Amino acid sequence: MQPGRARSARVDDLDEPDGGDLLVQTLDIGICGTDLEIVSGRYGWAPPGGERLVLGHESLGRVLDAPAGSDIQAGDLVVGIVRRPDPVPCPNCAVGEWDMCRNGRYTEHGIKELDGFARERYRIDPAFAVRVDASLEHFGVLLEPTSVVAKAWEQVERIGARAHWEPQRVLVTGAGPIGLLAALLAVQRGLETHVVDLATTGPKPDAVGALGAMYHTGSVADACAGADVVIECTGVGQLVFDVMASVAPGGVVCLTGVSSGGRTLSVDAGALNREMVLENEVVVGSVNANRRHYEAAAECLRRADAGWLERLITRRARLERFADALERRPDDIKTVIEFPK
Amino acid sequence: MQPGRARSARVDDLDEPDGGDLLVQTLDIGICGTDLEIVSGRYGWAPPGGERLVLGHESLGRVLDAPAGSDIQAGDLVVGIVRRPDPVPCPNCAVGEWDMCRNGRYTEHGIKELDGFARERYRIDPAFAVRVDASLEHFGVLLEPTSVVAKAWEQVERIGARAHWEPQRVLVTGAGPIGLLAALLAVQRGLETHVVDLATTGPKPDAVGALGAMYHTGSVADACAGADVVIECTGVGQLVFDVMASVAPGGVVCLTGVSSGGRTLSVDAGALNREMVLENEVVVGSVNANRRHYEAAAECLRRADAGWLERLITRRARLERFADALERRPDDIKTVIEFPK
């Protein structure tokens, strides 16, 4: 599609791919809010010198051809890492932490100046491909969003450890894919897990219940006051302030939702500041993921119940019906575009 | 004085002190914003069963009598630690991190349910007294506010280390005692240090210049955009949002100022949230200090230039003129009440 031009997404013939030693056949592409923003023309950048961006950053593929002596072999399932550091890296990119890029000169497959994975075959440098277990053939497309929550959890735990840290209770706001995967990682850590969302019935409350977590509608304070960790997955401005007001002393609030600007709220900044100071509270924004987080996420998915992961993929559309996948429907959790096998 | 009753502060005859194995003669008591809030009747709690609270949490004293075999001996300079854990401690208090108390059942000398140090002699458990170098006879009263910034810096550095971390530039907002001491610790770490305050002339800009840091008036963005660390020492709500908007990607904003509530601002919460997420930014509130921070602070003061520390104590008042010390004057940095030697 052409970034900046709404409704320009289409299936097109592309040249055989170049760009790396691994040749990968795409199996599944997941669709997220960023894709919908790109498709609507409000986000996204084409590769330099062109006008067209191949979509798709949440992917699962099978290796068709790998260099001899590589850790990855033909037939393996792989997921491409989304972000790439600039050839002249910032200090964080230089050590592989492109998720923490300090100068903004990264690129991202399917989002920013790099073609995405929503094509029948792509080539990639093995350093930016992550192998996933063969058991994840149907769910490996969830690796990229899981890597985002694996990073969020790593940030929370490293920040929590700034002092003695015994978290017990977690609140997740939003029961979309990011929220549900954040709740999965909370439950895998043995924590008391609460999820709040607007839906009163349907696959979201069902998925939370099946995880052994508690589902709430209504206010954050009613859902779970005094959480030690809050993973905010909606990007709704008011919710951000609500969770800051309800977190436990010493608690960590991790923001993962990317919201639009331009919505002004009235905030008692003095009261908010005073509470954050007197209760030693932290708010941390977290975006993207590096290889360490993809690998942690692959292990989380391998340990998860396959039936539960199946609940997250609420629609699958074949490539020729991609336009259906780019619509959001009320009970959608994750929509996946299936490529010809 | 009687907490809750404005203008009830007075010099009074007290019984000989009890409460601990060390007997200490008070030399100096520092006055801070919390004292002024208590004196105005808006803050503070008397010990249970009484109506009167002895003031004073920033102290320097000389040991008159110490138990045999103690690390602390008669003649040593000591500072009393302000906060005490509840006898039934929370998990953080149980490991000596009463500054991170999770249930709010701590007490504080001179502030919350424990008499303060503004008396000729007090007794204290040696576990809550910190020895300071004899060279700090004139400046040891600065240890308590320095412990607050030592904790703030520890929080910043431990949080910064959640990923690769090479901070270079620091912005301190506010050039009161906390701001200037935060700037001292920044300069001691070899960081490029900027301080912003309203004062255009006088002891605050002079003290910043003498430290080798850069002084600014005007907006935060003009003072220092792209700081890796911001230590916010004013508690002014608008400044909190300004620094969050100007910090570098991956940056850490530490809030140390306790503001009053009730002042509502209009905030573009969506834009703020989006920036925090996309740039991996952190905001952390920090209050109080534990023994580790007092000890770190003692070392920072010992290494500091005595002439520079002298600049921070802009007024000294003898005990009988305590009322003068409880007034705030335009060029005050730190006011100290001197006790009879």
Side-chain angles (χ1 to χ4, degrees), chain A residues 6-136:
Chain A
R7 292 177 300 280
S8 63
R10 64 179 190 277
V11 177
D12 214 346
D13 285 317
L14 300 176
D15 293 336
E16 275 298 318
D18 53 19
D21 283 346
L22 284 186
L23 179 64
V24 181
Q25 176 190 15
T26 297
L27 302 176
D28 289 330
I29 292 291
I31 301 300
C32 83
T34 300
D35 294 300
L36 302 186
E37 250 194 303
I38 297 171
V39 166
S40 74
R42 289 176 292 134
Y43 201 67
W45 296 263
E51 292 196 342
R52 190 207 60 203
L53 176 72
V54 175
L55 289 170
H57 61 279
E58 300 183 3
S59 73
L60 177 70
R62 189 178 301 282
V63 175
L64 295 175
D65 189 35
S70 167
D71 284 348
I72 299 180
Q73 301 184 339
D76 285 348
L77 295 175
V78 291
V79 171
I81 290 177
V82 174
R83 191 176 282 192
R84 299 287 290 263
D86 192 62
V88 183
C90 80
N92 286 70
C93 285
V95 298
E97 289 185 344
W98 47 75
D99 58 310
M100 302 293 291
C101 178
R102 294 179 54 80
N103 63 19
R105 289 207 296 269
Y106 57 82
T107 53
E108 290 177 333
H109 286 286
I111 301 174
K112 182 170 182 268
E113 301 170 11
L114 268 186
D115 280 334
F117 305 117
R119 54 194 294 168
E120 288 177 281
R121 288 180 294 282
Y122 66 87
R123 282 192 168 274
I124 194 166
D125 179 342
F128 290 92
V130 178
R131 189 169 50 182
V132 299
D133 197 86
S135 66
L136 290 172

Side-chain angles (χ1 to χ4, degrees), chain B residues 8-94:
Chain B
S8 62
R10 64 179 189 276
V11 177
D12 213 346
D13 285 320
L14 300 176
D15 293 337
E16 275 297 318
D18 54 17
D21 284 346
L22 284 186
L23 178 64
V24 180
Q25 176 190 16
T26 298
L27 302 176
D28 288 330
I29 292 291
I31 302 299
C32 83
T34 300
D35 295 299
L36 301 185
E37 251 194 303
I38 296 171
V39 166
S40 74
R42 289 176 293 134
Y43 202 66
W45 296 263
E51 292 197 340
R52 190 207 62 202
L53 176 72
V54 176
L55 290 170
H57 61 279
E58 300 183 4
S59 73
L60 177 69
R62 189 178 301 283
V63 175
L64 296 175
D65 189 35
S70 167
D71 283 350
I72 300 182
Q73 302 183 341
D76 284 350
L77 294 174
V78 291
V79 171
I81 290 177
V82 174
R83 191 175 282 193
R84 300 286 291 262
D86 191 62
V88 183
C90 80
N92 286 69
C93 286

Side-chain angles (χ1 to χ4, degrees), chain A residues 239-308:
Chain A
L239 264 189
V240 173
F241 290 106
D242 289 349
V243 298
M244 284 160 76
S246 82
V247 69
V252 179
V253 175
C254 184
L255 307 178
T256 68
V258 177
S259 42
S260 317
R263 293 204 47 184
T264 299
L265 296 179
S266 285
V267 177
D268 185 343
L272 179 68
N273 178 66
R274 185 180 185 99
E275 178 176 323
M276 285 193 70
V277 172
L278 294 181
E279 298 197 344
N280 293 291
E281 293 171 2
V282 179
V283 182
V284 51
S286 176
V287 71
N288 196 260
N290 65 44
R291 172 174 277 279
R292 172 171 93 233
H293 308 124
Y294 278 80
E295 288 174 352
E299 178 59 17
C300 291
L301 288 182
R302 199 190 57 72
R303 288 171 51 206
D305 178 71
W308 188 80

